[in-house]
Amino acid sequence: MSINPNESVAVSPSIPHHRKITFSHLMNKYGMLFVLIAMVILMSFLSDAFLATQNLINIVRQISFVGIIAMGVTMVIITTGIDLSSGSVVALVSVVAASLAHPGEYPLIIPIAAGLCIGICTGFINGFITAKGKIPAFIATLGMMTAARGLALLYSGGRPIGNLNESFLVLGKGTILGIPFPIVMFILIGIISHLLLSKTKFGKYTYAIGGNEQAAKIAGINVDRYRIMIYAYAGLLTAIAGMMLTARISSGQPSLGLMYELDAIAAAVIGGTSLNGGIGTIPGTIIGALIIGVLNNGLDLLGVSSYWQQILKGAIIAAAVLLDSRKNKRA
Amino acid sequence: MRKNKVWALVFIVTLIAATMAGCGSDKKNASSNEPSDSAKSSSSASAPADGKTGGEKKKLKIGAAMPIFDDKWLSYLYDSMKKAASENDVDLVMVDAKNDNNTQLTQMETFVSEKVDAILLVPVQTEAVDPMLEAAKAANIPVVVVNRKPNESALKDIYAYVGSDSLVAGTIQMEKVAELLGGKGNIGIMNGQLGQEAVVNRTQGNKNVIAKYPDLKLIREATANWQRSEGMTLMENWIQSGEKFDAIVANNDEMAIGAIMALEAAGKLDKTIVAGIDGTVDALDYVKSGKLKVTAFQDPMGQGKVGLETAIKAARGEKIDNKMIDVPFEVITPDNVDVYFKKWGK
Amino acid sequence: MDTEYILELEGVTKEFPGVKALDNIHLKVRKGTVHALMGENGAGKSTLMKIIFGIYTPDRGVIRFKGNPIKLHGSKDAIRLGISMIHQELSPVPHMTVAENIFLGRESTKGFGWINRKKMDQEAGEWLQSLNINIDPRTKMIDLSIANMQMVEIATAVSHHADLLIMDEPTSAITDKEVERLFAIIDSLKKKGVTIIYISHKMDEIFKISDDITVFRDGQCIGTKAAADLTQDTLIQMMVGREIKQVFHKEPADIGEVALSVRNLTRNGKFRDVSFEVRKGEILGIAGLMGSGRTEIIESIFGIVPADAGEIYIKGRKVTIKSPQDAIRYKMGLLTEDRKITGAFLPLSVKDNMIISSIDDFTVKGYIKGKLANDMCRAFVERLNIKTPSLNQTMLNLSGGNQQKVLLGRWLMNNPDILILDEPTRGIDVGAKAEIHKLMSRLAQTGKAIIMISSELPEVLGMSDRILVMHEGVPKGELEREKASQERLMELAYS
């Protein structure tokens, strides 16, 4: 939106009013979208199979789990925090939900409620320790990462938990109007998270806390409470992803979600979320997740060796962070 | 403030509930706790037995340094060691390193100072065994390493290595697949976590066999990090690549199951042979239903029994010709799957 | 070459973007004396010291040290020549010992980089002894009091064979007894032939120890006189100078009932027994030097750091304020001293910066009504004449004056009864300054009670109906507008 030119808004000479849309300005704002588009075009030339509908659906479905987690992680990073526990919480949710989802034992609501509850609780603990205990988020969530994985192994005795209820499996395998359920959830949660972050008080406070915590306090924001809520929301999304993933592989596994936290953080950072806080968007993170998805899928299609895949992924993340720091310097 | 307290309460209750649920299921799953209990009882129960038989001949004492008691597969290995120990009337002291190298080293040093007659070692990490072996060597106590193969230099210092050769596993897995394919077809190999010994050697075994058949072609190889979910993703992408796969050969069963799920969803499972390694209970279900055509069973009971018997030989100072003792992998197919269900006690 | 002066400055000038921090400074410091520098905050003393210590390089002018012109590139050069500085804020390495701190960067070694701890401890002990400082060189810095840390820094400077020692407000954080000790050490340094440049706001100290006094004002050197030739009054005269005629847009407003009153407010170590009241329509100025407790008082009133004792009444009702949220609930607003650190959300838009404190007014069930917020912001942008290309402009890209107006807009949107402004015009250009003054006057006319803290005497005198003067955490008196003058204010603030 722009200001009505008829209004008498004086413009100081230091700020160019008729800002020309320059290349670097566009790159700053939409750089990663261009990268995504360029990758899609490149891949479609390199592999005939890439643009097939089924393949595109696969890409989105494959990335939907990490993508959903990344949305919560984005919010956490905007507040200058970090969440290293996502992968382990996926595992804990997975084994607990699976253990309650055997056919003929409990109604579907029980495993789902238990899973969501674990997600929210672990997120709450992360937030509580960070906000009230004044412990760096890196350490608090590192602790949760270890503890949740340990709990998952303890709970499951180190074994996968199979034999799951058909109705539970719908979470991972079902479709709505022909669209796989995880993709529907990815879109739905994407919209909800985007609105939450851009249009609500909760969202504005999230940015404010990350932008300047001290100023946020003085502006009358209950910083601790909102911080805890943000981590709890991240935990909730992690739980949703964890249950859908469990349903998709028909098995609750204590080793599930290994390194997901890093993929989620990578998606957020590639999507322009600043580790210095105060900056980041959900559409950006979705683009970041899709870039990772297209990269993984494309390299698999081309049969590129796993070693090279890792190197390329690392290079892209480093480049994204570099772009981010350049952007900040310019501003 | 009040709201915070309510939240705190909810959190504490949940945490306690979760912990208790965890413990509860652990008890249900008795086998995972069993080794520690029986380990204690075997060492204490052997004391009176010692008095009974004691006298003219000293009873052999064997120390067993184990990496982690809380592991399903290893628990079968521990049980068979104990069974063999009581059959041979030797005193077996089994300790848990809780997956910590340092703890294991301390435990080995304790065995040395206790002057046990031989040591059975399942290393926490194969790269970290050298200082442990040095301690034993200095005291002239023979060490038998079981299940996890240490590096070449360490092999010189031990009495024997009892285990199943990863190379053999990869070989017999691929041979069975080759047989099912009639020696002709396109192969995709799914690797576990890159760089691990089992991944390198299982894959090498696969490739050695492929090299023998001119019509077998390895068209894709990539990692799925031992994970079912990643195996599924990888398979989906491979299917989309348009390549025709006649067989998917995975380094373990979980990745193979992931591949099966992706192939099934794409309606291509009946045209593709999927093979895994390990013979886990889940995998046996898939073998039984015919979806998983091949898996290789690594025999914990065999390794435990042979390991202990080798340790007795070592304690008695017997000479052996070959210090590499192989407990072979066994191929599981739908034809013999019921035998293995029994082995797992199902 | 021997001269009477250890340090001579000729025409030293330093400009920062927009300000002339030092304008053609001529200064001579006699060898072996204590030379005091005085002046208001921002008069240029600190900048000058940073130039002498090599942290800044002057744009123009010559510095002579022991008669030779010198050019410094960083404080290392200064230390090498024999110039050391005790900063206002000490920065020791807290978990290292006294000896390690003294010899930081020039440790004695036995070869192969092995530290010769024994030798270091012994030498450090000797340096401390030579100044009659009784501290074990093996103590960790973190276990020392601030005064003792200062002593260690002085010993460090002496161990560098400093001939010129700059002390920037060394007594701001230590007790009276410790001040005595410090003065004894300064005396013994003087006897050793060390010259000391001493910066302080405390008149009694200055008259006690200094030989010469130089006064600075607005980046200019007003003059140097022997301490013996000065009295407190003549010194204040020098500091204030001629009345600078400046127009302030203060218009009369109807003064109504008491909006806020504070009784015996105390925060340990910061201020004590502060009582005052401010009425509707009134502008209460709070004056005093930096560190006199001005900012701390309003921090406590606003709930950022609650007071330890005392009462706060709003419209005659006693209230408890534990957090800024409480303060906002009682219809207060606070424009903080440091815009960038405690006020603005630099990465966020102008709009978000404005609505953040009154977000509930635009929110229905947590969802922000975009149009309503935009209209409101646009109205304030217009009213405050904020120069921004759009409401979505990032705060970072606005000038200081406009940032300040946005923050003011934030609190005005909240429609507070009591508005607290801490240095509302610091670091912003003259035009914006006048606009803010005009606005304050208008707000008072609409019946708001305003508390303004300012280091600028003309501003305090020009805008306030009443002025509360603070000195070292204690209120020294209240001046009515008519009776207030720069001299009177200075007297109270420096007493």
Side-chain angles (χ1 to χ4, degrees), chain A residues 1 199-201 204 208 212 219-220, chain C residues 325 344 352 357 360 366 368 374:
Chain A
M1 106 211 55
K199 301 285 181 203
T200 70
K201 176 169 148 178
K204 295 293 175 202
N212 187 340
Chain C
Q325 285 134 265
D352 289 350
S357 287
D360 286 330
I368 295 167
N374 281 342

Side-chain angles (χ1 to χ4, degrees), chain A residues 47 49-50 52-56 58-59 61-62 117-118 120-121 124-125 128 132 151 153-162 173 225 228 245 247-251 253 255-258 260 293 296-307 309-310, chain B residues 1 3-4 7-8 10-11 14-15 18-19 21-23 25-26 29 31-32 70-72 191 193-195 200 219-230 232-243 254 257-258 261 265 280-282 286 346:
Chain A
S47 163
F50 182 78
T53 317
Q54 186 56 47
N55 192 51
L56 295 180
N58 280 353
I59 292 176
R61 183 173 54 201
Q62 286 162 9
C117 183
I118 288 172
I120 292 171
C121 285
F124 179 87
I125 296 169
F128 193 85
K132 299 282 182 189
L151 263 178
L153 285 163
L154 182 72
Y155 186 87
S156 63
R159 297 171 308 135
I161 299 171
K173 297 179 167 175
R225 186 206 293 171
I228 292 170
L245 195 61
R248 180 159 150 77
I249 63 171
S250 315
S251 164
Q253 302 206 329
S255 61
L256 200 63
L258 221 52
Y260 271 32
N296 282 343
N297 171 274
L299 297 177
D300 277 346
L301 287 186
L302 298 175
V304 174
S305 109
S306 296
Y307 299 105
Q309 293 200 15
Q310 289 185 7
Chain B
M1 240 20 234
K3 249 184 205 160
N4 282 345
W7 272 112
V10 169
F11 143 53
T14 319
L15 196 73
T19 319
C23 297
S25 93
D26 205 42
N29 171 24
S31 57
S32 72
D70 193 13
D71 180 287
K72 180 81 179 161
N191 300 131
Q193 218 156 7
L194 296 175
V200 174
I219 56 171
R220 285 295 163 92
E221 179 184 351
T223 182
N225 291 314
W226 300 122
Q227 301 279 318
R228 186 185 295 197
S229 54
E230 290 190 36
M232 199 167 170
T233 298
L234 183 59
M235 194 65 235
E236 282 176 351
N237 292 344
W238 278 355
I239 292 169
Q240 285 307 317
S241 72
E243 298 273 10
E254 278 296 316
I257 292 171
M261 296 175 106
T280 62
V281 181
D282 266 18
Y286 279 88
K346 290 239 166 180

Side-chain angles (χ1 to χ4, degrees), chain A residues 2-267:
Chain A
S2 67
I3 284 195
N4 184 342
N6 296 331
E7 278 177 14
S8 61
V9 175
V11 175
S12 88
S14 63
I15 302 162
H17 187 38
H18 302 287
R19 166 172 274 179
K20 283 216 180 83
I21 296 175
T22 59
F23 175 73
S24 75
H25 175 238
L26 274 180
M27 272 317 280
N28 278 347
K29 196 152 186 203
Y30 301 107
M32 280 301 151
L33 184 59
F34 292 148
V35 170
L36 177 62
I37 292 168
M39 280 174 61
V40 168
I41 292 171
L42 185 71
M43 287 300 177
S44 60
F45 276 114
L46 291 175
S47 163
D48 299 338
F50 182 78
L51 281 182
T53 317
Q54 186 56 47
N55 192 51
L56 295 180
I57 288 178
N58 280 353
I59 292 176
V60 182
R61 183 173 54 201
Q62 286 162 9
I63 205 64
S64 62
F65 308 101
V66 164
I68 288 172
I69 295 170
M71 293 175 200
V73 169
T74 299
M75 294 193 190
V76 168
I77 296 179
I78 288 175
T79 67
T80 67
I82 195 95
D83 189 352
L84 297 177
S85 69
S86 332
S88 300
V89 171
V90 162
L92 184 59
V93 167
S94 173
V95 292
V96 173
S99 72
L100 298 171
H102 296 310
E105 283 186 7
Y106 304 105
L108 181 61
I109 188 73
I110 297 294
I112 292 181
L116 295 180
C117 183
I118 288 172
I120 292 171
C121 285
T122 51
F124 179 87
I125 296 169
N126 282 337
F128 193 85
I129 295 175
T130 309
K132 299 282 182 189
K134 309 289 173 216
I135 288 170
F138 186 91
I139 302 299
T141 59
L142 187 70
M144 179 59 76
M145 168 178 158
T146 315
R149 181 74 65 187
L151 263 178
L153 285 163
L154 182 72
Y155 186 87
S156 63
R159 297 171 308 135
I161 299 171
N163 187 22
L164 306 184
N165 203 333
E166 277 304 319
S167 60
F168 183 81
L169 296 185
V170 168
L171 296 181
K173 297 179 167 175
T175 57
I176 293 175
L177 301 173
I179 306 170
F181 189 72
I183 296 185
V184 173
M185 287 300 282
F186 183 47
I187 295 170
L188 205 64
I189 291 175
I191 293 171
I192 291 172
S193 300
H194 177 60
L195 291 179
L196 196 60
L197 203 49
S198 63
K199 301 285 181 203
T200 70
K201 176 169 148 178
F202 178 83
K204 295 293 175 202
Y205 281 9
T206 305
Y207 283 113
I209 291 168
N212 187 340
E213 179 172 345
Q214 197 57 31
K217 271 184 197 149
I218 292 170
I221 298 172
N222 189 337
V223 172
D224 288 352
R225 186 206 293 171
Y226 276 90
R227 206 181 272 282
I228 292 170
M229 277 163 66
I230 290 158
Y231 278 91
Y233 183 74
L236 172 74
L237 297 195
T238 304
I240 292 172
M243 283 190 287
M244 293 197 311
L245 195 61
T246 304
R248 180 159 150 77
I249 63 171
S250 315
S251 164
Q253 302 206 329
S255 61
L256 200 63
L258 221 52
M259 309 282 268
Y260 271 32
E261 58 278 351
L262 297 187
D263 276 346
I265 293 168

Side-chain angles (χ1 to χ4, degrees), chain B residues 21-41:
Chain B
C23 297
S25 93
D26 205 42
K27 266 174 204 131
K28 245 187 285 165
N29 171 24
S31 57
S32 72
N33 250 358
E34 193 190 29
S36 57
D37 295 344
S38 42
K40 262 181 249 141
S41 61

